[in-house]
Amino acid sequence: MSKTSEHIYTMHIDDGAPSHPGGSNNYFVGDPQKKMVIIDTGDYERKWTKSIIEYYVQLGKPPIEAILITHGHGDHTGGLDRLQDLVGCPVRCHPDLVGKLSRVLGDESMVIPLEDREKIHLDRSVDLEVIFTPGHEVDHVCYYLACDGVMFTGDAVLGASSTSVRDLTSYMKSLELITTYEHDTVCPAHGPVVPPPKGKDLVQWQLDHRLSRERQVLAALEKGALSISDIRSSIYPSDLDERLIPTAESNVERHLDKLVDEGRVCRTDSIFNIAQ
Ligand SMILES: [Zn+2]
């Protein structure tokens, strides 16, 4: 039983997934004597769902007000049907995810869309604020627990690695938004919980890391790089493991997409130039 803060109990599991070192977390938030919510439901495998259920039993089977979903990926929604069967509560998620999760449960009355900035009330002065944070996925949501100074970042910011991003323009806007919420602890879906003092600056650090990558991409273009592979070889080490080249190049491409969106870079077929 691992208590992270006054209102947070963390169920950590070593799922061994290579894409995110440091295992994964499901969170129970609230007072086990009164009522709680569960954040995310883990992957499809039985072992994971069983671990969440055992944890729920250890907490004394508290009344569960809702299951809150950070986004629709399988490692966050895989245990949903079994867990929801057990606790019998509504499921709350981003509006774009309602259709899919309703089909999973076979009951659309149990899946209720979240509203951006909605506050989910748990107890006197214990509220979880919903923050829509597209980027990793369009349906991504973070949750903010002001009373404990905690940000639940889902897959937007991980505890021990950087995350995959579908749309970097909206991702960076989302990180900027998260930094405006005062918090000193980050509770990610994958990797360890990051407590103070590091937890206070982790989101800003991730944002700075992406901004410095962006500056490197612009500098490579200024020096005459034209293609994605030119840019990659200019900013990554020359002895980069060959197996990592596709990831590095897709990372460069995300940055270029963002810069093209913003009108700072022009694209002609697969040739890129600084916009004049
Ligand atoms: Zn995930």
Side-chain angles (χ1 to χ4, degrees), residues 4-275:
T4 294
S5 69
E6 194 182 344
H7 302 96
I8 300 171
Y9 295 79
T10 304
M11 202 265 342
H12 183 80
I13 183 162
D14 286 313
D15 54 334
S19 60
H20 46 250
S24 298
N25 311 299
N26 294 96
Y27 299 100
F28 286 78
V29 186
D31 180 347
Q33 307 296 327
K34 294 179 182 166
K35 64 181 176 189
M36 305 192 90
V37 293
I38 302 174
I39 300 183
D40 282 342
T41 64
D43 217 329
Y44 298 92
E45 54 180 274
R46 253 160 214 286
K47 196 180 120 212
W48 194 330
T49 315
K50 270 188 184 162
S51 305
I52 300 176
I53 292 172
E54 277 163 20
Y55 201 89
Y56 165 72
V57 172
Q58 281 175 42
L59 282 170
K61 297 189 188 175
I64 302 296
E65 173 99 336
I67 294 172
L68 308 177
I69 299 294
T70 60
H71 64 295
H73 287 171
D75 56 335
H76 301 259
T77 56
L80 181 65
D81 53 344
R82 284 164 283 163
L83 211 55
Q84 197 274 341
D85 261 352
L86 179 76
V87 298
C89 70
V91 175
R92 307 291 313 275
C93 63
H94 190 282
D96 288 359
L97 194 55
V98 169
K100 180 180 158 191
L101 298 188
S102 299
R103 286 191 294 281
V104 168
L105 295 184
D107 181 355
E108 55 187 39
S109 70
M110 291 311 276
V111 186
I112 303 165
L114 294 163
E115 278 175 45
D116 195 15
R117 314 302 170 92
E118 173 183 349
K119 285 189 176 157
I120 296 165
H121 181 65
L122 286 169
D123 201 352
R124 205 151 43 94
S125 76
V126 185
D127 293 289
L128 262 180
E129 183 168 344
V130 171
I131 313 169
F132 285 9
T133 42
H136 172 72
E137 267 307 335
V138 287
D139 58 14
H140 195 282
V141 178
C142 290
Y143 299 94
Y144 175 56
L145 187 66
C147 61
D148 291 16
V150 171
M151 185 63 73
F152 294 94
T153 53
D155 278 10
V157 171
L158 308 183
S161 55
S162 65
T163 191
S164 64
V165 173
R166 183 178 293 280
D167 174 353
L168 194 60
T169 309
S170 49
Y171 179 72
M172 286 171 68
K173 280 194 196 125
S174 292
L175 290 197
E176 258 170 46
L177 175 62
I178 302 175
T179 61
T180 64
Y181 285 80
E182 210 171 296
H183 63 276
D184 59 18
T185 300
V186 168
C187 286
H190 308 294
V193 168
V194 183
K198 207 178 155 214
K200 193 175 188 319
D201 301 316
L202 183 65
V203 179
Q204 186 64 49
W205 188 88
Q206 287 284 349
L207 189 58
D208 291 345
H209 168 72
R210 302 275 175 173
L211 285 168
S212 81
R213 196 54 105 200
E214 178 172 292
R215 282 192 294 273
Q216 289 176 321
V217 169
L218 287 166
L221 288 167
E222 267 159 16
K223 278 190 287 179
L226 294 170
S227 67
I228 290 174
S229 111
D230 286 350
I231 298 167
R232 188 261 308 152
S233 47
S234 148
I235 66 182
Y236 284 87
S238 54
D239 59 352
L240 181 69
D241 186 331
E242 252 178 53
R243 288 167 300 180
L244 296 177
I245 289 178
T247 312
E249 294 195 347
S250 96
N251 192 9
V252 167
E253 193 171 10
R254 292 285 174 276
H255 278 284
L256 289 166
D257 288 344
K258 173 176 182 284
L259 291 164
V260 170
D261 269 359
E262 293 168 350
R264 296 161 71 191
V265 165
C266 308
R267 173 179 202 150
T268 319
D269 299 322
S270 50
I271 298 296
F272 296 86
N273 281 294
I274 302 277

